[in-house]
Structures are given as structure tokens and as C-alpha cells.
Short mmCIF file of all heavy atoms in Angstrom, two decimals:
data_model
loop_
_atom_site.label_atom_id
_atom_site.label_comp_id
_atom_site.label_asym_id
_atom_site.label_seq_id
_atom_site.Cartn_x
_atom_site.Cartn_y
_atom_site.Cartn_z
N SER A 1 55.62 22.85 54.93
CA SER A 1 55.61 23.50 56.24
C SER A 1 55.44 22.46 57.34
O SER A 1 54.59 21.58 57.25
CB SER A 1 54.48 24.52 56.29
OG SER A 1 54.46 25.14 57.55
N LEU A 2 56.24 22.58 58.39
CA LEU A 2 56.17 21.63 59.50
C LEU A 2 55.80 22.31 60.80
O LEU A 2 54.87 21.90 61.48
CB LEU A 2 57.50 20.89 59.65
CG LEU A 2 57.55 19.89 60.80
CD1 LEU A 2 56.62 18.71 60.52
CD2 LEU A 2 58.97 19.41 61.03
N ALA A 3 56.53 23.35 61.18
CA ALA A 3 56.31 23.99 62.48
C ALA A 3 56.70 25.46 62.41
O ALA A 3 57.50 25.86 61.57
CB ALA A 3 57.14 23.29 63.55
N SER A 4 56.12 26.24 63.33
CA SER A 4 56.49 27.65 63.44
C SER A 4 56.25 28.12 64.86
O SER A 4 55.53 27.49 65.63
CB SER A 4 55.69 28.51 62.46
OG SER A 4 54.32 28.45 62.78
N GLY A 5 56.89 29.22 65.20
CA GLY A 5 56.70 29.78 66.54
C GLY A 5 57.52 31.04 66.74
O GLY A 5 58.42 31.35 65.96
N GLY A 6 57.20 31.73 67.80
CA GLY A 6 57.90 32.96 68.14
C GLY A 6 58.03 33.08 69.64
O GLY A 6 57.33 32.40 70.40
N ALA A 7 58.95 33.93 70.07
CA ALA A 7 59.15 34.15 71.50
C ALA A 7 59.66 35.57 71.71
O ALA A 7 60.46 36.08 70.92
CB ALA A 7 60.16 33.14 72.06
N PRO A 8 59.21 36.21 72.80
CA PRO A 8 59.63 37.58 73.09
C PRO A 8 60.96 37.62 73.84
O PRO A 8 61.11 38.32 74.84
CB PRO A 8 58.48 38.11 73.94
CG PRO A 8 58.00 36.91 74.68
CD PRO A 8 58.18 35.75 73.72
N VAL A 9 61.94 36.87 73.38
CA VAL A 9 63.25 36.83 74.05
C VAL A 9 64.10 37.99 73.55
O VAL A 9 63.92 38.47 72.43
CB VAL A 9 63.97 35.49 73.81
CG1 VAL A 9 63.19 34.34 74.42
CG2 VAL A 9 64.20 35.23 72.34
N ASN A 10 65.02 38.43 74.38
CA ASN A 10 65.93 39.48 73.93
C ASN A 10 67.33 39.16 74.43
O ASN A 10 67.52 38.39 75.37
CB ASN A 10 65.47 40.87 74.39
CG ASN A 10 65.30 40.95 75.89
OD1 ASN A 10 66.21 40.64 76.64
ND2 ASN A 10 64.13 41.35 76.33
N GLY A 11 68.29 39.73 73.76
CA GLY A 11 69.67 39.49 74.12
C GLY A 11 70.62 40.18 73.17
O GLY A 11 70.22 40.99 72.34
N VAL A 12 71.88 39.82 73.31
CA VAL A 12 72.94 40.41 72.51
C VAL A 12 73.86 39.29 72.03
O VAL A 12 74.25 38.44 72.82
CB VAL A 12 73.76 41.43 73.34
CG1 VAL A 12 74.91 41.99 72.53
CG2 VAL A 12 72.87 42.54 73.86
N VAL A 13 74.19 39.32 70.76
CA VAL A 13 75.21 38.43 70.22
C VAL A 13 76.46 39.29 70.05
O VAL A 13 76.42 40.29 69.33
CB VAL A 13 74.80 37.81 68.87
CG1 VAL A 13 75.84 36.80 68.41
CG2 VAL A 13 73.43 37.16 68.96
N PRO A 14 77.55 38.94 70.72
CA PRO A 14 78.74 39.78 70.64
C PRO A 14 79.30 39.86 69.22
O PRO A 14 79.07 38.96 68.40
CB PRO A 14 79.75 39.10 71.57
CG PRO A 14 79.14 37.82 72.00
CD PRO A 14 77.73 37.76 71.54
N ALA A 15 80.03 40.92 68.94
CA ALA A 15 80.70 41.05 67.65
C ALA A 15 81.58 39.82 67.43
O ALA A 15 82.29 39.39 68.35
CB ALA A 15 81.54 42.32 67.63
N PHE A 16 81.50 39.25 66.24
CA PHE A 16 82.26 38.06 65.87
C PHE A 16 82.04 36.91 66.85
O PHE A 16 82.90 36.05 67.02
CB PHE A 16 83.75 38.36 65.74
CG PHE A 16 84.05 39.43 64.74
CD1 PHE A 16 84.55 40.67 65.14
CD2 PHE A 16 83.81 39.22 63.39
CE1 PHE A 16 84.81 41.66 64.22
CE2 PHE A 16 84.08 40.21 62.46
CZ PHE A 16 84.58 41.44 62.88
N GLY A 17 80.88 36.88 67.50
CA GLY A 17 80.59 35.85 68.49
C GLY A 17 79.35 35.07 68.14
O GLY A 17 78.78 35.19 67.05
N GLU A 18 78.92 34.26 69.09
CA GLU A 18 77.73 33.44 68.88
C GLU A 18 77.03 33.19 70.21
O GLU A 18 77.60 33.38 71.28
CB GLU A 18 78.08 32.11 68.22
CG GLU A 18 78.97 31.21 69.04
CD GLU A 18 79.31 29.92 68.31
OE1 GLU A 18 79.58 29.95 67.10
OE2 GLU A 18 79.31 28.88 68.99
N THR A 19 75.77 32.78 70.09
CA THR A 19 74.96 32.41 71.26
C THR A 19 73.91 31.41 70.81
O THR A 19 73.67 31.24 69.62
CB THR A 19 74.30 33.65 71.90
OG1 THR A 19 73.75 33.29 73.16
CG2 THR A 19 73.21 34.22 71.01
N VAL A 20 73.29 30.74 71.77
CA VAL A 20 72.19 29.81 71.48
C VAL A 20 70.90 30.45 71.97
O VAL A 20 70.81 30.91 73.11
CB VAL A 20 72.41 28.44 72.14
CG1 VAL A 20 71.19 27.55 71.96
CG2 VAL A 20 73.65 27.76 71.57
N VAL A 21 69.91 30.50 71.09
CA VAL A 21 68.59 31.04 71.40
C VAL A 21 67.60 29.89 71.40
O VAL A 21 67.58 29.08 70.47
CB VAL A 21 68.18 32.12 70.36
CG1 VAL A 21 66.76 32.61 70.63
CG2 VAL A 21 69.16 33.27 70.37
N MET A 22 66.79 29.81 72.45
CA MET A 22 65.77 28.77 72.57
C MET A 22 64.45 29.31 72.04
O MET A 22 64.03 30.40 72.40
CB MET A 22 65.61 28.35 74.03
CG MET A 22 66.93 27.97 74.70
SD MET A 22 67.71 26.56 73.95
CE MET A 22 66.77 25.26 74.69
N LEU A 23 63.80 28.52 71.16
CA LEU A 23 62.56 28.95 70.53
C LEU A 23 61.53 27.83 70.53
O LEU A 23 61.73 26.80 69.87
CB LEU A 23 62.83 29.39 69.08
CG LEU A 23 61.60 29.76 68.26
CD1 LEU A 23 60.89 30.97 68.84
CD2 LEU A 23 62.00 30.01 66.82
N PRO A 24 60.42 27.99 71.24
CA PRO A 24 59.36 26.98 71.17
C PRO A 24 58.58 27.13 69.87
O PRO A 24 58.27 28.24 69.45
CB PRO A 24 58.47 27.31 72.38
CG PRO A 24 58.72 28.76 72.66
CD PRO A 24 60.12 29.06 72.19
N VAL A 25 58.32 26.00 69.21
CA VAL A 25 57.53 25.99 67.98
C VAL A 25 56.42 24.95 68.10
O VAL A 25 56.52 24.02 68.89
CB VAL A 25 58.39 25.71 66.72
CG1 VAL A 25 59.41 26.82 66.51
CG2 VAL A 25 59.05 24.36 66.79
N THR A 26 55.40 25.13 67.29
CA THR A 26 54.25 24.24 67.29
C THR A 26 54.06 23.65 65.90
O THR A 26 54.16 24.35 64.90
CB THR A 26 52.97 25.01 67.68
OG1 THR A 26 53.18 25.61 68.96
CG2 THR A 26 51.76 24.10 67.74
N ALA A 27 53.80 22.34 65.86
CA ALA A 27 53.48 21.64 64.62
C ALA A 27 52.11 21.00 64.80
O ALA A 27 51.83 20.42 65.84
CB ALA A 27 54.53 20.57 64.32
N SER A 28 51.29 21.11 63.78
CA SER A 28 49.99 20.44 63.88
C SER A 28 50.20 18.95 63.70
O SER A 28 51.11 18.51 63.00
CB SER A 28 49.02 20.97 62.82
OG SER A 28 49.35 20.45 61.55
N GLY A 29 49.35 18.18 64.33
CA GLY A 29 49.41 16.73 64.17
C GLY A 29 49.23 16.32 62.72
O GLY A 29 49.81 15.34 62.26
N LEU A 30 48.45 17.12 61.98
CA LEU A 30 48.23 16.81 60.56
C LEU A 30 49.50 16.99 59.74
O LEU A 30 49.78 16.19 58.84
CB LEU A 30 47.10 17.67 60.01
CG LEU A 30 45.73 17.43 60.66
CD1 LEU A 30 44.71 18.41 60.11
CD2 LEU A 30 45.28 16.00 60.44
N SER A 31 50.29 18.03 60.05
CA SER A 31 51.52 18.22 59.28
C SER A 31 52.53 17.12 59.61
O SER A 31 53.25 16.66 58.73
CB SER A 31 52.12 19.60 59.53
OG SER A 31 52.54 19.76 60.86
N ILE A 32 52.56 16.66 60.86
CA ILE A 32 53.43 15.54 61.23
C ILE A 32 52.97 14.27 60.51
O ILE A 32 53.79 13.51 59.97
CB ILE A 32 53.43 15.33 62.76
CG1 ILE A 32 54.01 16.54 63.48
CG2 ILE A 32 54.18 14.06 63.13
CD1 ILE A 32 55.48 16.74 63.34
N ALA A 33 51.66 14.04 60.49
CA ALA A 33 51.12 12.85 59.81
C ALA A 33 51.45 12.88 58.32
O ALA A 33 51.83 11.86 57.74
CB ALA A 33 49.62 12.76 60.03
N ARG A 34 51.33 14.04 57.70
CA ARG A 34 51.64 14.18 56.28
C ARG A 34 53.10 13.82 56.02
O ARG A 34 53.42 13.10 55.07
CB ARG A 34 51.35 15.61 55.81
CG ARG A 34 51.57 15.83 54.34
CD ARG A 34 51.19 17.24 53.89
NE ARG A 34 51.98 18.24 54.59
CZ ARG A 34 51.47 19.26 55.29
NH1 ARG A 34 50.17 19.41 55.38
NH2 ARG A 34 52.25 20.12 55.89
N GLN A 35 54.00 14.29 56.88
CA GLN A 35 55.42 13.96 56.72
C GLN A 35 55.66 12.46 56.88
O GLN A 35 56.41 11.85 56.12
CB GLN A 35 56.27 14.74 57.73
CG GLN A 35 56.29 16.23 57.51
CD GLN A 35 57.06 16.64 56.27
OE1 GLN A 35 57.89 15.91 55.75
NE2 GLN A 35 56.78 17.83 55.79
N ALA A 36 55.01 11.86 57.89
CA ALA A 36 55.18 10.43 58.13
C ALA A 36 54.65 9.61 56.95
O ALA A 36 55.29 8.63 56.52
CB ALA A 36 54.47 10.02 59.42
N ILE A 37 53.51 10.00 56.41
CA ILE A 37 52.93 9.29 55.26
C ILE A 37 53.89 9.35 54.07
O ILE A 37 54.11 8.36 53.39
CB ILE A 37 51.55 9.86 54.90
CG1 ILE A 37 50.54 9.45 55.97
CG2 ILE A 37 51.10 9.41 53.52
CD1 ILE A 37 49.21 10.17 55.88
N ASN A 38 54.49 10.52 53.84
CA ASN A 38 55.44 10.65 52.73
C ASN A 38 56.64 9.73 52.94
O ASN A 38 57.10 9.09 51.99
CB ASN A 38 55.90 12.10 52.58
CG ASN A 38 54.85 12.99 51.98
OD1 ASN A 38 53.91 12.52 51.35
ND2 ASN A 38 54.99 14.29 52.19
N LEU A 39 57.15 9.65 54.18
CA LEU A 39 58.29 8.78 54.45
C LEU A 39 57.92 7.31 54.24
O LEU A 39 58.68 6.54 53.63
CB LEU A 39 58.81 9.00 55.87
CG LEU A 39 59.54 10.32 56.12
CD1 LEU A 39 59.85 10.49 57.60
CD2 LEU A 39 60.81 10.41 55.29
N PHE A 40 56.75 6.90 54.75
CA PHE A 40 56.31 5.52 54.58
C PHE A 40 56.07 5.18 53.12
O PHE A 40 56.38 4.10 52.65
CB PHE A 40 55.05 5.23 55.40
CG PHE A 40 55.30 5.18 56.87
CD1 PHE A 40 54.50 5.90 57.74
CD2 PHE A 40 56.32 4.41 57.41
CE1 PHE A 40 54.73 5.86 59.12
CE2 PHE A 40 56.55 4.36 58.78
CZ PHE A 40 55.76 5.09 59.63
N GLN A 41 55.49 6.12 52.38
CA GLN A 41 55.23 5.90 50.96
C GLN A 41 56.54 5.72 50.20
O GLN A 41 56.67 4.83 49.36
CB GLN A 41 54.44 7.06 50.37
CG GLN A 41 54.03 6.84 48.93
CD GLN A 41 53.14 7.97 48.43
OE1 GLN A 41 53.01 9.01 49.06
NE2 GLN A 41 52.54 7.77 47.28
N ASN A 42 57.54 6.54 50.51
CA ASN A 42 58.85 6.39 49.87
C ASN A 42 59.47 5.04 50.21
O ASN A 42 60.05 4.39 49.34
CB ASN A 42 59.79 7.52 50.29
CG ASN A 42 59.43 8.83 49.64
OD1 ASN A 42 58.72 8.88 48.65
ND2 ASN A 42 59.92 9.91 50.22
N ALA A 43 59.33 4.61 51.45
CA ALA A 43 59.88 3.30 51.85
C ALA A 43 59.17 2.17 51.11
O ALA A 43 59.80 1.20 50.68
CB ALA A 43 59.75 3.12 53.36
#
């Protein structure tokens, strides 16, 4: 797990269409550090 978040945004995606939705998420510094340690260890 790295980050999660939610937003009370609303809208419509057209039939056979697409849109971009913006979503703020939060990651704890500890989860970022854990990922960085794993990358450094692999290196």
C-alpha cells in the first residue's frame, strides 16, 4: 500500500467517451520510506 484518497467530485462520462478525474491522495512518509528502502536494497 502506498497512497489512498477520496473526493466528493461528480460528473458524467459520455457513452463511449472518456474524461479525466482529479483525485488527491495521501501517502504516509513511512510508506514512502519503505518503498525507497526496498529500491535501495534491490540496487
